[in-house]
Amino acid sequence: MSTPAAPPSPRRWTALALIALAQFTVIMDTSIIGVALPKMQIDLGFSQEDLSWVFNAYVIAFGGLLLLGGRLSDLFGARRIFIAGWTVLAGGSLVAGLAPSVWTELTGRALQGVGAALIAPSALTLLMMLFGSRPKELTKALALYGAAAPAGGTAGVFLGGVITEYASWPWVFYINIPIALIVLAAVPSVMPSAPVRRGSIDLAGAATVTAGLATAVFAVVRAPEIGWGSAQTWLVLLAGVALIGAFIAIQSKRREPLMRLGIWRAPNLAGANIAQLLMAAAWIPMWFFLNLYLQQVLGLGAFASGAALLPMTVAIMIMMIVLAPRLMARFGTKPLIVTGLLALAAGMLWLSFARADGTFWVDVLPASLLAAVGMSLAFIPSLGTALSSARPEEGGLASGIVNTSYQVGSALGLAAMTAVASAYGARELGDPGALTDGFSAAFLGAAALAAVGALASLLTLRTAPDRKEQPARADAA
């Protein structure tokens, strides 16, 4: 169910620009560090094994704290939490840029993740407050919000290369500070406010779910380093599962839980979140390994590799903004989600046939455009379905859940496909054939995840009812 909208005002589109900028920035922060990592390794003394934690520290904090960010948005107002998130993100960026040591750097990255975990669910809650009662505008708003993600990912690759070459690596973090200051200056005049609600913060629930998600993600992202057969990997993973189980037990007994378990009875909420999780688990590895294939096999530099990703990015943005809303209006959400995930799977299956002596025009461009079509069709309908299923007072919780699904899916999918690529030869950096074999295996594994997502969506999603019927059905849940 949609949340109450603010009174119609031209400023809501300015507010949407800030919300899209938030999505752009939190995604950009996952990709902008890539080109800078070698120089960071030299300056700060990272070992080769620990260097990946510059990425992982951000992702783990981001994914682990999203539910808490959503709950805080519901209790204290999304605008306040949005402001707090940008403040923390700016502070973390300053720490990361000034870091004199490995641990200070990882602390700064974790703080950036905390800020992102506050920004993401509050941004979606604000979007629903502004556009939730106007279906046509809501579809356009979600399309613009969704298009900001691939734009942020591609911009991060370009900006990371430009900044590292012409300035210095700390500026990949400092760039967030002026963006945050602009947003913080604009928020009071354009963002809707919400009253503080009475309620308590479920600290035990927040601690267990954050620790559980972080532990599970930690186990999977570290598994390629120490081995999937290692007892340590499975003990840490089991600990994460046990903590999540403890969280569910706590939620079932709390009077004011962090996550009301009954929310999962809302029609299509679970199915839409499964689609988001498996979509991310397939899409992020595809983007990651495609970039490696372009650079390490085809021999493109960082800038040329970023340029090679532009057609895919532009296609996603055009389709999300122009085509997807029209198709949703004509066919509904479920057919688009299933079709989109199947197209995503087909695109990655095509990429799995990439050759060691291949070319961009034959081995990359057509398959990546097909994958882009799939992502464009599936993302907006599944996101909108997940958000519209919740009660108005639980908009922040629904936003936190769907963001958690996407981010955890991203981290787990990338870690799992990294293990697959390593097992099939991607560690042989001097051998294009071995690298291609590993990347092809990763593309094939990602295609399987997208296909499973399509099947799960077909089986779990109901045909979307008329929007006027949704409030009653969601409240009844």
Side-chain angles (χ1 to χ4, degrees):
M1 175 181 175
S2 59
T3 56
S9 167
R11 290 186 175 183
R12 67 185 180 278
W13 297 105
T14 304
L16 177 62
L18 297 183
I19 292 168
L21 181 61
Q23 171 78 332
F24 177 94
T25 302
V26 299
I27 299 301
M28 180 185 71
D29 279 344
T30 65
S31 63
I32 196 171
I33 63 168
V35 179
L37 287 177
K39 291 189 176 181
M40 293 174 62
Q41 182 177 14
I42 295 171
D43 290 350
L44 298 180
F46 276 97
S47 67
Q48 185 64 34
E49 294 76 17
D50 291 339
L51 193 59
S52 64
W53 286 100
V54 180
F55 173 81
N56 293 336
Y58 177 85
V59 172
I60 289 174
F62 189 6
L65 290 168
L66 278 165
L67 282 180
L68 179 60
R71 173 63 172 166
L72 293 175
S73 293
D74 287 335
L75 286 180
F76 298 105
R79 188 173 76 173
R80 292 183 181 89
I81 301 305
F82 191 72
I83 290 171
W86 278 103
T87 303
V88 174
L89 179 67
S93 299
L94 184 62
V95 171
L98 294 173
S101 66
V102 167
W103 286 107
T104 309
E105 180 62 47
L106 296 182
T107 299
R109 283 293 282 168
L111 282 173
Q112 285 186 303
V114 173
L118 297 176
I119 291 170
S122 58
L124 273 177
T125 303
L126 287 166
L127 186 151
M128 294 300 289
M129 291 172 64
L130 288 161
F131 300 99
S133 65
R134 290 177 285 275
K136 291 184 179 179
E137 289 190 355
L138 176 61
T139 302
K140 293 179 182 177
L142 287 173
L144 290 167
Y145 174 87
T154 302
V157 175
F158 276 113
L159 288 174
V162 171
I163 290 170
T164 303
E165 183 169 347
Y166 296 107
S168 59
W169 65 260
W171 283 96
V172 302
F173 304 115
Y174 294 153
I175 192 175
N176 288 326
I177 297 175
I179 295 175
L181 293 176
I182 291 170
V183 172
L184 291 173
V187 162
S189 61
V190 300
M191 289 294 187
S193 60
V196 176
R197 292 195 176 107
R198 290 186 176 183
S200 61
I201 299 175
D202 178 10
L203 294 178
T208 52
V209 71
T210 301
L213 289 173
T215 302
V217 172
F218 176 86
V220 176
V221 298
R222 195 160 177 253
E225 298 175 18
I226 65 175
W228 282 96
S230 167
Q232 183 179 349
T233 295
W234 288 101
L235 286 173
V236 175
L237 188 59
L238 287 173
V241 173
L243 285 166
I244 293 173
F247 165 72
I248 293 173
I250 291 169
Q251 299 314 284
S252 67
K253 297 178 181 178
R254 292 278 300 192
R255 185 175 180 180
E256 294 187 59
L258 182 66
M259 181 180 72
R260 184 179 65 85
L261 297 181
I263 194 174
W264 292 102
R265 294 196 296 271
N268 290 334
L269 181 72
N273 275 276
I274 291 171
Q276 282 274 314
L277 187 146
L278 290 171
M279 183 194 314
W283 173 257
I284 297 302
M286 187 218 69
W287 184 88
F288 180 82
F289 287 108
L290 184 56
N291 194 23
L292 291 180
Y293 174 75
L294 290 166
Q295 294 190 50
Q296 297 179 356
V297 177
L298 299 189
L300 302 183
F303 295 113
S305 177
L309 296 174
L310 277 177
M312 180 171 62
T313 304
V314 172
I316 291 174
M317 295 178 69
I318 291 174
M319 289 200 64
M320 281 190 178
I321 295 171
V322 178
L323 187 59
R326 295 179 181 178
L327 292 175
M328 284 176 62
R330 181 171 182 179
F331 298 107
T333 56
K334 180 176 178 177
L336 261 65
I337 295 170
V338 174
T339 302
L341 286 167
L342 287 175
L344 181 58
M348 287 184 289
L349 178 62
W350 194 344
L351 282 172
S352 72
F353 292 101
R355 302 162 295 165
D357 59 348
T359 65
F360 166 74
W361 298 104
V362 174
D363 296 81
V364 174
L365 182 61
S368 66
L369 289 178
L370 178 57
V373 169
M375 184 66 172
S376 303
L377 294 178
F379 184 84
I380 300 302
S382 58
L383 177 63
T385 300
L387 293 173
S388 63
S389 299
R391 295 175 177 176
E393 66 273 16
E394 293 180 322
L397 174 58
S399 300
I401 290 172
V402 71
N403 271 288
T404 299
S405 297
Y406 191 88
Q407 294 302 326
V408 171
S410 300
L412 297 181
L414 180 57
M417 292 307 105
T418 298
V420 169
S422 297
Y424 283 86
R427 289 184 178 180
E428 303 296 330
L429 296 181
D431 185 349
L435 284 170
T436 303
D437 288 343
F439 298 155
S440 294
F443 292 138
L444 193 59
L449 290 175
V452 171
L455 178 61
S457 299
L458 181 65
L459 296 177
T460 60
L461 291 175
R462 304 179 190 177
T463 301
D466 187 281
R467 291 189 60 87
K468 294 179 180 179
E469 298 176 10
Q470 288 183 358
R473 295 183 66 176
D475 288 341

